[in-house]
Structures are given as structure tokens and as C-alpha cells.
Amino acid sequence: MFGLLFRQCRQLPSAPSQARQFSATNALSISRKPESKIRIPSKKALAAKARRKAALAAKEEAKLLKLPLTEAIAVLRAAEVASPNTIYELFVKTELGNGTAVPRGRVNLPREAKPRAEDKILVFAEGRQAEEARKAGAHIVGGPELIEGILNNRHRATTILCVPSLIRTITPKLGRFLGPLGLMPSERRGTVTEDVAGYIQRLHGTSEWRADRAGNIRAPIATMQFPVEDVVTNVRHFLASVKRATGNSKEADAADRKLKSSGGTRAVIPIKKVILSSRQGPGIRISDY
């Protein structure tokens, strides 16, 4: 009996050997999806897109209401008839490019809208130039010893001038401190000069305007009590100063003449729009600026 069972077991067919099959998990199959190909537009396509965008912007610009300066003044005077002390505000929008310096300048309006704040002038000069600066009306005059007082806010000024012989001495310590405040002396702005007394004399009777980082310039320009002719004169005078500072004027200022003499040119900053407004009146875009 045992012999029979043994023979039957020997006669059983052996199971075929099977290779082990490996299958990818869901996580691996997801990660192996083909990468999406992003189309990079050509330069010609980008230029065409920019032209279409500019054309749409020009079409929207044409739909906006614009008035001549005298008509805008008449509308605002009618809106502020009960507030004769209200001030006209002038808004100028400039387009700043990459690396373009923020436009700024000084203007002497024929008739001031507000009492002018007095400038406090600090001058880095020594010897004869220091004496001339004191006689011209500078409030603080000295050499490198003033640096610590500026860093500690002991010396505060609205305008800082420097003679060329001291600019390399003060720049390493004051450049990062005064630069963000817009007070660091520079040759481009004319605040590094040998003629310190002449610069101080030009400051008297003028007020400074400056654009913000977005290129917006705001300034009080007149009051409702002013005759229309005085308001127009102030606006034209202020815009002339802005155009000179942004390179949109045919009249070259001192900085332009200095650049041309050295063979360089200053980039023109476009003026996008000019708006005249008041406290209760609307903001009216000016067409003849």
C-alpha cells in the first residue's frame, strides 16, 4: 500500500516555475506622467501683444473726458462755491522706467497757495566756503564732524549741500542713511557744488516738489479766492518746472547742460496725465498741458 502511494506521488507533474511580476504603484504611475510642454512666445508675438495692449489702452483713454484748463477751473469753482478757502490740487502722473531716478525740483510760484515752509540747510564745507555758506544763510555748517550728529538725528535738515572735496569722506557713512530720505548730496541734483552760497541764494523763495516711487506728483497750486488768471499762471509755472525735470521741455536746465557738455543725454520721463481737483469737486483731466 505504501509502495503504491509512493509511486503515485512520484508520478505527479511538477508545478512550472513562474517569474515574479513587479507592478508600479499608483504614486509611481502619477509621477511618471509626461511633462507638460509650455510654449514660450517669440519676440515677434510679444511685440504684437504689447501693440494690441497699447491700442486698447489708447482707445479707453480716448473715452475719458478731458477739459481745457480754464474750463476745469470753472467747474471746480462752481463745485466749491460755498468754500472759498478750498485749495486746488494738481496731480501729475509720470511713467518711471527701471532704474529711472525719481523726478524732483524746485519752483517759485508767482502766487503761493500756502505759506511756504522754511528750509533748514546743512552744508559740508570748510574754510572760506564754510564762511560763505554761513553768510548766505545756512543753518548748520561744518566738516566730517557733523556725520555723527546726522546719524543720531541731532542735526536735522531739509536740504544738505556738500563741496566736492568732502563728498568722498561723507559718502561711506551717510550714503545708506540719507539716500532713502532723498537728502544725500549728488552731482546730478546739483547739491555737490563749489558755489554753495549761490545755491543757497537760489533756494530762498522757492519750494521743493518731488514724485513718489510710483511717479506721482501732488502739489497745492492755488485757492478758490485766486482769480482765474492767477490759477492758470501757477499751473503753467509748476508744469514748466516738472517738464524741465523730466526732460519734456525744450529749455535745458543746468543738469542737462552739464550732461551735454560731457557727451551724455538724460532719459525722458513721459508725462501720462495731469489732473486738477479740489476737496469736494471731481478730479478733472487737463487736455492742454
Side-chain angles (χ1 to χ4, degrees), residues 80-97:
E80 301 284 356
V81 65
S83 304
N85 294 324
T86 302
I87 292 178
Y88 295 98
E89 184 184 60
L90 192 68
F91 172 83
V92 182
K93 172 67 177 177
T94 61
E95 186 177 7
L96 299 181

Side-chain angles (χ1 to χ4, degrees), residues 194-212:
E194 293 283 358
D195 186 16
V196 176
Y199 192 97
I200 294 174
Q201 291 174 358
R202 290 193 296 271
L203 288 182
H204 292 313
T206 62
S207 55
E208 185 181 32
W209 59 265
R210 182 185 181 187
D212 57 18

Side-chain angles (χ1 to χ4, degrees), residues 65-67 71-72 75-76 274-277 282-286:
L65 177 64
K66 298 180 183 179
L67 294 178
E71 294 185 15
V75 172
L76 294 177
V274 177
I275 298 177
L276 187 67
S277 63
I284 303 174
R285 302 188 66 165
I286 306 302

Side-chain angles (χ1 to χ4, degrees), residues 13-34:
S14 60
S17 61
Q18 295 180 356
R20 184 176 179 182
Q21 301 292 329
F22 292 93
S23 61
T25 62
N26 292 334
L28 290 176
S29 62
I30 292 174
S31 63
R32 291 176 183 172
K33 284 185 177 180

